[in-house]
Each structure stands twice: as C-alpha cells, then as structure tokens.
Amino acid sequence: MRSDAVKKGVERAPHRSLFKAMGYTDEEMARPLIGVVNSKSEIIPGHIHLDTIAEAVKAGIRMAGGTPVEFGSIGVCDGIAMGHTGMKYSLATRELIADSCEAMGLAHGFDGMVFIPNCDKIVPGMLMAAARINMPSIVISGGPMLSLARGGKQLDLNSVFEAVGAFKAGTITEEELYEIENLACPGCGSCSGMFTANSMNCLTEVLGLGLPGNGTIPAVYAERIRLAKQAGMKIVELVEKDIKPSDILNEKAFENALTVDMALGCSTNSVLHLAAIAHEAGVKFNLDIVNEISARVPNLCRLAPAGSHHVQDLYAVGGVQAVMKELSLKNLLHLDLLTVTGHTVGENLEKARGADGTVIRRIDNPYSRTGGIAVLKGNLAPDGAVVKRSAVAEEMLVHRGPARVFDSEEEAIEAIYGGRIKRGDVVIIRYEGPKGGPGMREMLNPTSAIAGMGLDKDVALITDGRFSGATRGASIGHVSPEAMEGGPIAVVREGDIISIDINNGRLDVEISDEELAERLKNWKMPQPRITGGYLGRYAGLVTSASTGAILKNTTG
C-alpha cells in the first residue's frame, strides 16, 4: 500500500507515534488510509452542510475496511464575491485548491482520496488534483439547492440579480425585491440552475470520477447521504483494484463530457475547466473540438438560465444518466470507458431511464440540432470566445451594433444602471481576463442588469473575462487573446461596429485588416491593477482562457 511509506517498519515508529497521538489504533493503521478532502465552510451555501456528507463518506470507508483521514480545503462563494474585488480571487483559487490537495495527498502517503466539493472553482480544482496526483480517487459533491416558486415562477439566485435590474428599471417595488431575496435561495446546496457548480458536478459524473447521481440528487435528500456512504465504500474498492484517474480520464472521456455538456446546455465555464482538467490528465484539448462536437450533438435540456426547469427537475426524470441514455440511442457516447463504479459507461446506463420528453427532450425532438455552447472566432477573437448558445434569444444569434467600450466591470455596470446603454448596443468589457483582471471575473451583475431591464434580446455583451453560468442572453466571454496581452479587444473603439454570428461561429469588429494592425502596433500595455500578493503572482503565471487559464508551471 502507498501508506506503508508512513506507517510500516521499525523506521516508521515515529510516524506511527504521531498517528497514535491523534487516537488512531494499530488496527486502523493496518487498513488503507483514505484522505477525505472536505471543503466545508460557513461562507458558501453549497458547502455549509458538507460535514454531513463527510461523516457519511467516512462511515462508508470504515464499512468497507478503510481508515478515513479528513482534512479541509478553501473555497470562494462566487455569488458573495460577485461584483467587487472578491471576484478576482474566484478563478485563482482553483489553482490553490488543486495545489493544496496535491500537497496533502502526497505528503501523507494516502492510499486513496475522496474529494468533497460542491461549488464553482472547488469542483474543477479537486478534479485537477485528482488527475495530477493520480491515486485512486472519487468525487462526491454536496448536491444542488432546491428551487421554490413565487407567483408560478421558479426562483434561483439569478432571479435576485435580475430583480435588482427590474427594480432599477422601475418594474418591481423594493418590497417585491425583498420577497424574492428571501425565497430565491431556500437552503443548502449549489445554486439550483444549470450554473457552473451544477454543470461541473454533472460533468464529473460523465467523466467517470463521480457515481451516478452525483450531479443531480438534491442536497437535502437522504439519497445524497446514501450516495456519500457508497462513495466511501467504493474508494476502498478502487484502492484494492488500483483503479486510478489515469485509467478513467482519457480523450474519449473528455469527448463524452463535452457531448453531455452540449446536450445539457452547461455553463460556458465548463469549457475553461475541462481544458484545465485535461491538461492535468495529459489529454489534448483545444477549442476546435467544442464546435466539432456541438455540430453533431443536439441540445436536449433547457435548465435555468436557458429555461424554466431546475436541477431538481432533471433529478426527478432520471438525472444525467437519463440524458446519457438518450444520447446513446444515436451512438453519440463512448460506452466502453471505465468509471469509478468499477463498470463501464454502457453498463452504468443499462438500468437508466430514457428522456421524459419534457425536461429532457427526446433525441429526435431536441431544442436545437446543435449543442448548447458555441466557440466563436474572428478578428476580435483570433483564439476563440465562448457563448452559451442555448441561453441566447433567437433574435440575438446574429447581431450587428455599435461598440460601447469599458475598461472594467464597474464602469459597465454604472453605464447600464445609469440608462446609458441603448437597444442594439454591443457592450465591450475588457481588461478583465486572467492577466488583466487579474482573475477573469465572472460578470453576472451586468448581464443580470441587462436582462432585468428587459434588454437581453437587444443588447450583446462581450468580454475577455467570464460570465456566470447563471447568465443568459448574448453574453460572449473568454475572448482570447485578452486585452492585457494585446489582443484585438484592446483596440476596439467606441462606436466601432461589432458583428456577431453565433450560427456561423463568427465574432468580428468591422474594420480593415490594415486599420486593426495599425491600432495593435500603437497599443501600449497599461499598468497592472494588482502587482503584490497572490493575485500578483497569479497574473504573472496565468495563461490564456483558450488554454483553460492554467498556470505556466502547473506541470512540466
């Protein structure tokens, strides 16, 4: 066992003494040592209950003959960090989480690892760590939050952000805003739409590192606790069989993940994170494959923000496995891949339900014949940009309008709330990329303000930063190269005509090649906004969004 390095032989008597100082017995030390990474905190609704999940995991490990060893992980709540300096830290913590899990896992000689995340950056950070350290691993999330109804409409966190815009526009009262604030997030769990956290928890299931149900069983259901116990038991089996992430995370597994991503209409951030996880797994990944898969995979689900359904509705009709079962009818998935169940994808799907026809459309009656995410390229984004196509109004799939240029999110929000953005405008928010932000902030505030003010079918937003998975409308993010690296977005001028053609994957500024080249020649990099601390170091090491915003020195 790997843990023999810290517990076996005369030379390890001091190590065993330290274990005994914590109450571990000889019998416990003789069993496989399983690291349990618990990201519980009192600042994230999706993590407030993770001690319950961790206790269930540890019970499962003990039932199967292993010894659990729990330790903690940090996490940022994207919702609370949204719209201020705090959001600069969100994406950057993904690397801290991956690094700390690597350090703890390898420093203490664990035989296997159970990762317990739930929200945005914590899930991909732990998946990156699992791929990197490559010991038997399993992920068990905390599950999605429930959605409650108000006036016949299901609410979620996005409802509150959009309600702020509606209040600013004078269409609801402050009392109505307060009511929505009190109802939208009714309890623990990851926010209830197909936002980034739930997207990544669903895709963990598809990649094969989470058990069926990982993405959709609600946080407050007893079934979630039972699944956590099963994950604890399963990790001991994975250790015994020495099934590692490298046996699971191959190129076909990532193709499956992108396929289900397109069918579900996941957050655009999923592309950023899948690229980073693939990098850690040593799997080739580029943005071109996104459009290749999107071209052949139909969009079967329209969960919030793209539609009215929420993750609890997807759970009720069979969850991710039901989506995969429907996709398998057209041979769109690789079914022979190993998963942490110990069985293949195909074997897991044998007992799965098919589409219900409503929450999950049938394969011959999709919302669209192409997937929910699209990559755009053109002279404004030579290396690509990403949009959640399924959440874009039909009339905005092709749009042409004047650029309204802002060099920060705050400037854009001020203009939106100040009524200075008009129908037909294209809002450009730059210097918010991985380097420029630094940290590639999510921008749910401006997109929700646009939607709340009733402009989401008339105004497009383009940024080298990111958009929340809760964002809807013609919101195009991840523009690469970013402004801070001298990408074309840095030299767009107020009033330039921007051409968007999502159907044909194009994003252009309507100026000549000669004019663009001249502007780029005269561009000068502005002073970095932050030069000290972790963000200063991060800005110096982070790469383009088109490569997953990984750090230059993550792996050799």
Side-chain angles (χ1 to χ4, degrees):
M1 290 192 289
R2 292 173 178 82
S3 59
D4 286 349
V6 298
K7 68 185 187 184
K8 188 173 183 180
V10 173
E11 297 83 358
R12 295 299 182 254
H15 303 64
R16 293 193 296 274
S17 181
L18 291 168
F19 274 100
K20 289 177 179 179
M22 295 180 281
Y24 291 95
T25 65
D26 287 328
E27 290 78 8
E28 286 175 299
M29 284 188 282
R31 299 170 181 171
L33 296 182
I34 309 297
V36 177
V37 192
N38 182 5
S39 57
K40 191 266 183 188
S41 74
E42 296 181 352
I43 195 60
I44 312 177
H47 292 229
I48 191 73
H49 65 304
L50 292 188
D51 277 352
T52 302
I53 301 297
E55 287 305 315
V57 166
K58 291 190 288 185
I61 292 170
R62 292 188 182 105
M63 283 190 284
T67 297
V69 182
E70 183 182 347
F71 63 91
S73 169
I74 67 163
V76 165
C77 177
D78 278 21
I80 294 173
M82 192 75 66
H84 59 94
T85 300
M87 181 48 71
K88 294 178 184 291
Y89 283 91
S90 174
L91 180 61
T93 62
R94 187 187 71 180
E95 317 309 315
L96 289 174
I97 291 161
D99 290 350
S100 61
C101 290
E102 172 199 352
M104 292 294 287
L106 297 181
H108 298 105
F110 294 130
D111 295 300
M113 299 269 281
V114 180
F115 296 91
I116 308 176
N118 209 27
C119 291
D120 294 44
K121 277 0 125 288
I122 301 92
V123 182
M126 290 189 177
L127 286 167
M128 289 165 67
R132 187 189 302 173
I133 63 180
N134 198 34
M135 69 174 68
S137 299
I138 193 168
V139 177
I140 169 67
S141 77
M145 187 184 291
L146 293 177
S147 169
L148 300 181
R150 173 186 178 270
K153 181 182 179 182
Q154 294 295 130
L155 298 178
D156 52 53
L157 177 64
N158 198 32
S159 305
V160 193
F161 278 100
E162 292 190 4
V164 173
F167 173 72
K168 295 276 188 179
T171 58
I172 65 170
T173 66
E174 190 170 356
E175 289 73 22
E176 288 174 305
L177 172 60
Y178 184 66
E179 182 185 6
I180 294 169
E181 171 188 328
N182 284 337
L183 293 175
C185 298
C188 65
S190 48
C191 294
S192 55
M194 190 50 71
F195 310 150
T196 303
N198 290 325
S199 294
M200 293 310 301
N201 283 323
C202 288
L203 295 182
T204 297
E205 197 174 320
V206 182
L207 283 169
L209 285 185
L211 294 174
N214 178 73
T216 60
I217 299 171
V220 295
Y221 285 15
E223 187 180 353
R224 173 64 56 178
I225 296 174
R226 296 198 298 272
L227 190 74
K229 289 179 180 177
Q230 291 164 7
M233 291 185 281
K234 188 59 67 174
I235 188 61
V236 178
E237 179 185 325
L238 294 174
V239 168
E240 290 170 351
K241 295 180 178 178
D242 198 28
I243 296 174
K244 303 181 293 296
S246 59
D247 300 314
I248 296 170
L249 296 178
N250 56 33
E251 188 172 344
K252 291 181 178 179
F254 284 94
E255 288 179 8
N256 277 357
L258 282 171
T259 297
V260 177
D261 194 333
M262 297 303 162
L264 282 175
C266 291
S267 162
T268 54
N269 287 316
S270 63
V271 176
L272 190 78
H273 298 319
L274 286 173
I277 298 161
H279 172 78
E280 296 291 353
V283 173
K284 184 179 179 182
F285 188 104
N286 62 62
L287 291 184
D288 293 335
I289 193 177
V290 176
N291 280 348
E292 290 172 15
I293 291 177
S294 181
R296 64 175 183 263
V297 177
N299 180 218
L300 303 180
C301 300
R302 290 276 170 97
L303 277 66
S308 59
H309 298 127
H310 288 76
V311 179
Q312 66 198 38
D313 302 311
L314 180 60
Y315 161 77
V317 298
V320 174
Q321 299 296 304
V323 176
M324 295 176 72
K325 181 82 167 227
E326 194 67 16
L327 291 169
S328 71
L329 298 179
K330 295 290 186 180
N331 299 315
L332 291 170
L333 293 172
H334 302 287
L335 300 180
D336 58 341
L337 306 182
L338 183 65
T339 72
V340 290
T341 64
H343 302 293
T344 65
V345 172
E347 290 168 339
N348 291 341
L349 294 179
E350 286 176 2
K351 295 182 180 180
R353 296 188 238 172
D356 70 311
T358 303
V359 179
I360 307 170
R361 289 248 185 130
R362 293 192 172 85
I363 197 80
D364 57 359
N365 182 38
Y367 283 102
S368 68
R369 296 289 172 187
T370 55
I373 291 177
V375 170
L376 313 182
K377 290 189 176 183
N379 69 354
L380 188 53
D383 293 339
V386 184
V387 63
K388 188 167 184 172
R389 178 192 177 116
S390 59
V392 179
E394 189 71 26
E395 51 265 58
M396 289 297 290
L397 291 172
V398 177
H399 180 75
R400 183 174 176 272
R404 303 297 310 280
V405 182
F406 304 96
D407 287 346
S408 71
E409 178 187 8
E410 288 82 1
E411 291 178 14
I413 291 172
E414 183 183 355
I416 294 166
Y417 284 147
R420 303 201 305 273
I421 302 302
K422 308 301 180 186
R423 296 185 188 279
D425 285 349
V426 178
V427 176
I428 304 282
I429 307 175
R430 63 191 180 192
Y431 295 106
E432 290 287 5
K435 287 183 182 293
M440 202 181 180
R441 287 194 286 184
E442 282 186 350
M443 299 186 197
L444 185 55
N445 273 2
T447 59
S448 298
I450 290 288
M453 296 171 81
L455 296 172
D456 57 299
K457 294 182 180 179
D458 301 282
V459 173
L461 292 96
I462 298 172
T463 183
D464 53 6
R466 297 180 297 129
F467 289 117
S468 166
T471 288
R472 63 185 173 95
S475 301
I476 300 165
H478 307 196
V479 171
S480 300
E482 64 173 288
M484 199 65 175
E485 291 192 322
I489 193 172
V491 296
V492 174
R493 294 175 182 170
E494 188 81 7
D496 282 347
I497 299 301
I498 305 298
S499 174
I500 301 167
D501 187 346
I502 295 173
N503 292 328
N504 291 302
R506 295 293 307 182
L507 182 62
D508 296 284
V509 53
E510 293 186 4
I511 60 176
S512 67
D513 292 345
E514 293 77 15
E515 171 68 13
L516 180 56
E518 183 65 21
R519 290 187 191 182
L520 289 170
K521 179 181 176 181
N522 294 324
W523 173 81
K524 293 180 181 178
M525 185 176 74
Q527 283 292 111
R529 288 175 172 146
I530 296 175
T531 57
Y534 174 59
L535 282 181
R537 297 195 303 275
Y538 178 84
L541 293 171
V542 71
T543 63
S544 168
S546 62
T547 57
I550 58 174
L551 299 187
K552 292 176 184 175
N553 65 342
T554 47
T555 59

